[in-house]
Amino acid sequence: MQQVIPVPFPGRAPRVRAAGPYAIGSAAGLVLLSLAAQPAEAGCRDAPRAGVDWTNCFKQRLMLSYSDLSGAVLRGARLTGTDFTGTKLAGAKLAEAELSFTRFEGADLSGADLTKAAGGRTIFTRANLRNAHFESSEFGRSNFQQAQIAGANFSKAEVNRSIFEGADLTGADMSKAELARVILTNTKVGGVKFSYSNLARADLRGLDLNGVDLTGSYLYLTRVDGADLSQAKGLTQEQLDLACGTNETRLPAGLSRPQDWPCGEDVEQNG
């Protein structure tokens, strides 16, 4: 007969583990016991705390504002509509998490890993995203206003129609990113890598683009009215001919203003 031995797991409902068949030799009295090993699982029922492991857990529409989830493991977790306002998430692992309509307003996500995370209309207003990883993530129509994003990596990310107004993007990597119609007005972009990114119809009006790498970036109808491009890297005449600027736009030596500048007022913009 097979014996069933309950094995308690802290914080979870008891599981059962089957003891393998055993036989007792009548002469030698030998006992052979075989227990099936159980794989470790994320503690989806564990309370929110620093370092909690909610890998692949469903945590939708929770109120977790001002919690301490520093170093939490949230890989692949479904967090749609969850409120992380003011929450400590420094160094958290959010790779491949579902973050649509999630609020991170004023949260600390410094050094967090959001690689391949997916979200839409996600709120990062005034969040600390310094040195965070957004590689190959999808955050279209999201709000990054006044966020601290210096040193973050958005390479190959899709953030079309998102708002970065007033944010600090100093030294961020946005190479090969989808940035169509993003709003970057009043944003610090010193040293940002926009190489081979799609900046079609993006709003860069009035920006100081000193040290910004625009090598191979797509600037179709990109607004550079009054922007300082004089020290931008990799900018070509062909790119300028696609963009929209004014007589106040400062250009690198050797490049000239297209004859059709400024673009007409009927040019479709963000929205």
Side-chain angles (χ1 to χ4, degrees):
M1 179 181 295
Q2 189 179 50
Q3 183 181 2
V4 176
I5 304 173
V7 181
F9 281 71
R12 307 184 181 88
R15 296 179 181 273
V16 295
R17 184 178 293 178
Y22 64 94
I24 302 177
S26 57
L30 299 177
V31 177
L32 180 62
L33 181 63
S34 174
L35 293 175
Q38 296 294 320
E41 299 179 0
C44 294
R45 296 184 180 180
D46 290 354
R49 57 174 173 78
V52 69
D53 187 348
W54 285 346
T55 301
N56 296 325
C57 297
F58 287 80
K59 294 291 181 180
Q60 300 183 89
R61 297 183 293 277
L62 297 184
M63 300 299 292
L64 295 172
S65 56
Y66 302 101
S67 301
D68 186 355
L69 294 171
S70 304
V73 182
L74 309 173
R75 292 189 183 95
R78 184 163 295 180
L79 301 164
T80 306
T82 293
D83 187 355
F84 290 103
T85 299
T87 296
K88 296 178 181 178
L89 287 155
K93 308 300 182 184
L94 291 134
E96 300 183 2
E98 170 55 54
L99 301 171
S100 294
F101 302 102
T102 302
R103 298 187 68 89
F104 292 100
E105 185 174 0
D108 182 2
L109 286 149
S110 55
D113 182 7
L114 293 95
T115 304
K116 295 183 179 180
R121 300 185 186 276
T122 307
I123 306 298
F124 292 99
T125 306
R126 295 188 295 279
N128 179 359
L129 305 174
R130 292 185 181 93
N131 301 312
H133 292 269
F134 285 83
E135 295 96 318
S136 301
S137 62
E138 298 180 8
F139 285 101
R141 296 180 181 269
S142 293
N143 192 333
F144 295 87
Q145 284 181 291
Q146 300 178 33
Q148 300 300 312
I149 314 176
N153 193 332
F154 279 78
S155 61
K156 298 182 181 180
E158 189 274 287
V159 288
N160 292 329
R161 294 177 179 266
S162 292
I163 303 173
F164 290 86
E165 186 176 11
D168 184 356
L169 282 163
T170 304
D173 185 353
M174 293 194 149
S175 57
K176 299 181 180 179
E178 290 294 327
L179 302 165
R181 300 177 184 271
V182 296
I183 298 176
L184 291 162
T185 50
N186 300 314
T187 302
K188 295 179 181 178
V189 293
V192 174
K193 296 179 181 178
F194 286 119
S195 51
Y196 302 101
S197 63
N198 177 16
L199 284 163
R201 299 180 185 272
D203 190 345
L204 280 65
R205 287 179 289 182
L207 291 187
D208 182 354
L209 295 154
N210 181 36
V212 170
D213 188 352
L214 292 170
T215 302
S217 57
Y218 185 52
L219 302 181
Y220 177 70
L221 297 181
T222 302
R223 300 304 298 252
V224 291
D225 312 41
D228 186 353
L229 294 161
S230 61
Q231 301 299 317
K233 300 177 182 178
L235 187 63
T236 66
Q237 188 65 49
E238 289 76 13
Q239 288 171 295
L240 275 181
D241 290 345
L242 293 174
C244 293
T246 61
N247 290 335
E248 288 72 35
T249 303
R250 298 181 61 187
L251 305 180
L255 301 184
S256 57
R257 294 178 179 80
Q259 293 183 353
D260 58 354
W261 278 14
C263 296
E265 292 298 325
D266 59 341
V267 173
E268 183 184 358
Q269 281 299 305
N270 299 283

